[in-house]
Amino acid sequence: SSGINAEYGVDEELYLIFKTKGLPTESTWPGVHKIPDFIAGDWPKSEGDPIEKLGPRLCKDGFDMLDRLLKYPPRWRISAGEAMRHSWFSSLPSVIHTASNNLSIFSFPDVLLQDDSLLPSPFERSRNSLRDKKGKKSKNTTTV
């Protein structure tokens, strides 16, 4: 056991979500003030941060995907199936959509994990290019 109270962990997670997304209101989450755990919490009074602050190196499609995953209430969030068809994944090989569930996307030869420090700037990032240590672009690879 980690020695951490499980309920405290949930409260801390909600605290961070509310601090990031802003405290839910009746307009952003109808009925939220009727949820007992919400009423009992001592939540940060926050308007939230711009979504771009959560992933400064994400592209426009990445921000859209992240925003759709973090909607209040949960029923407004993008489904797993919709997420897999989201344009953010369009740079990945189409075979990932038919691969078995036990395969990692990194088992495909054209998908590479890249260290962000190899990228020159968060504003110059392309989801469809990989730069080697000399800054030269490599074709036919997808960085994740």
Side-chain angles (χ1 to χ4, degrees):
S1 172
S2 66
I4 297 174
N5 180 314
E7 188 171 322
Y8 174 78
V10 170
D11 284 351
E12 180 155 355
E13 185 174 339
L14 289 173
Y15 176 89
L16 292 171
I17 291 169
F18 294 161
K19 184 176 180 211
T20 300
K21 287 286 295 173
L23 191 64
T25 64
E26 285 299 319
S27 64
T28 60
W29 189 339
V32 71
H33 292 101
K34 296 177 185 172
I35 300 172
D37 289 337
F38 179 80
I39 295 168
D42 182 22
W43 310 116
K45 307 299 185 243
S46 170
E47 295 293 320
D49 291 324
I51 196 126
E52 292 80 8
K53 189 173 179 182
L54 296 176
R57 293 191 181 267
L58 279 176
C59 61
K60 181 180 174 186
D61 286 337
F63 290 128
D64 182 66
M65 173 80 143
L66 186 57
D67 185 54
R68 291 174 184 229
L69 289 167
L70 297 175
K71 291 285 184 197
Y72 295 137
R75 70 178 181 271
W76 291 353
R77 292 181 194 141
I78 191 171
S79 72
E82 290 170 323
M84 286 302 298
R85 292 184 297 277
H86 190 276
S87 58
W88 189 73
F89 288 111
S90 66
S91 66
L92 295 174
S94 61
V95 69
I96 69 161
H97 297 287
T98 57
S100 66
N101 291 338
N102 62 345
L103 283 179
S104 165
I105 64 169
F106 299 114
S107 66
F108 298 102
D110 293 340
V111 178
L112 305 171
L113 184 62
Q114 179 180 341
D115 181 348
D116 281 351
S117 67
L118 298 176
L119 297 170
S121 159
F123 304 106
E124 296 178 44
R125 181 172 187 187
S126 167
R127 291 212 10 97
N128 294 316
S129 67
L130 174 69
R131 295 180 185 272
D132 63 19
K133 290 183 181 180
K134 295 179 184 176
K136 183 179 175 184
K137 289 185 180 181
S138 175
K139 295 181 181 178
N140 301 322
T141 58
T142 299
T143 58
V144 180

